[in-house]
Amino acid sequence: SYDRQLGWSEDGMERYKLLASAVIRKGGRVTVEDLGQEWVERIDGNKIGYHIGPQDKIIYDLLKAGIPPYDAGRYTQWPGSIGTAKMAGVLGIVNACRPDNAARDALDVTRIKDAQGRPNDFALETAAAIAAATAEALRPGATVNSIVLIALAQLPDVPGARPEVQRFLDLAQNAKDYKDLRVIYADAYRPKGTRFETSAAIEVLAGGLASFRLADGRPREAVLNAINIGRDTDCKAYVAGGLAGAM
């Protein structure tokens, strides 16, 4: 789907850097309006692909046209995708040891990229899970189990959300290494109809948490687990490696 050019970055991490720069500029917690200002001022509309991916051009154009940042996410090209949550670790860092504030900020700030209320769209809740889990991971005394539980607590108890992640974590409980986990993951998320043709945010969260838990919180192993189980590997490695690094 991309005609990548020399110098292009990965779109999820570019969104991460835009949010990080908004936090640095403000010197603390930010709102969706603060992030919207960062997008408008830092992105060069003539170089889409260098600061954001082509799928986010519509968001950038809406912000430039004056649409409020809290409303822009309703028009996202890929609702329910993990791309919304790829910036959420920043919110866990700036809210270190306060998962409640991290989750609250995530539900506000990530409205720039998606919206709540669509069927099977848990992008904002996944962002809250990653942000809260990151904040918990930075707490002295945090454990792999406490981090996973904090992430799960941010998800609604409806089909396709918390039960799905919990089901996969239960299946992955007996995996001895990434080779075992890869088989379990492939069986759970083999493309079948529209539900699993692309990796939704909830799928990436499930795989990332399982990779993190299997590594017992060790960053290198967490990343290697995530990239060796297939599908959206960079995003799962972001979840697993980010939490392990924070812990």
Side-chain angles (χ1 to χ4, degrees):
S1 60
Y2 291 104
D3 178 18
R4 293 199 178 274
Q5 302 174 34
L6 292 175
W8 279 31
S9 180
E10 196 277 323
D11 58 283
M13 292 314 297
E14 289 301 324
R15 288 185 220 104
Y16 184 101
K17 289 192 287 186
L18 286 164
L19 179 51
S21 65
V23 168
I24 292 167
R25 175 190 290 198
K26 192 168 183 180
R29 295 169 67 187
V30 295
T31 65
V32 68
E33 287 83 2
D34 296 322
L35 180 56
Q37 180 182 355
E38 207 71 14
W39 276 51
V40 169
E41 294 183 7
R42 290 182 60 87
I43 293 171
D44 183 345
N46 296 315
K47 295 183 178 180
I48 300 296
Y50 291 86
H51 246 182
I52 53 172
Q55 75 273 23
D56 285 336
K57 184 178 186 302
I58 187 170
I59 304 294
Y60 170 75
D61 287 344
L62 288 168
L63 295 172
K64 288 284 285 187
I67 293 295
Y70 57 77
D71 206 33
R74 293 197 299 120
Y75 305 96
T76 185
Q77 184 177 346
W78 292 347
S81 77
I82 189 62
T84 303
K86 281 290 286 286
M87 55 181 134
V90 173
L91 301 172
I93 295 169
V94 76
N95 286 293
C97 309
R98 287 297 304 269
D100 53 342
N101 284 345
R104 189 177 299 113
D105 287 357
L107 292 174
D108 169 42
V109 172
T110 58
R111 288 183 295 168
I112 199 170
K113 172 73 176 150
D114 210 318
Q116 290 178 298
R118 294 186 182 93
N120 293 321
D121 183 346
F122 304 107
L124 269 63
E125 292 88 346
T126 300
I130 293 171
T134 303
E136 167 66 11
L138 290 164
R139 180 181 62 83
T143 65
V144 169
N145 189 54
S146 74
I147 293 165
V148 171
L149 290 176
I150 284 289
L152 289 171
Q154 313 311 315
L155 304 175
D157 192 21
V158 298
R162 188 190 305 161
E164 179 175 327
V165 178
Q166 185 64 67
R167 174 180 172 274
F168 182 75
L169 290 172
D170 291 344
L171 290 171
Q173 185 72 48
N174 295 322
K176 298 182 182 65
D177 54 28
Y178 76 81
K179 293 179 182 179
D180 286 347
L181 185 60
R182 180 164 59 197
V183 173
I184 297 167
Y185 187 72
D187 184 59
Y189 287 107
R190 195 180 309 279
K192 43 192 173 186
T194 58
R195 179 68 178 89
F196 299 125
E197 284 184 357
T198 59
S199 56
I202 286 292
E203 174 197 332
V204 171
L205 180 64
L209 289 176
S211 298
F212 166 70
R213 188 177 67 181
L214 178 60
D216 197 27
R218 298 185 300 265
R220 183 175 186 274
E221 287 78 2
V223 170
L224 287 173
N225 288 341
I227 64 174
N228 276 291
I229 63 174
R231 285 171 67 79
D232 200 338
T233 55
D234 68 301
C235 293
K236 286 194 291 294
Y238 165 76
V239 174
L243 294 178
M247 190 173 100

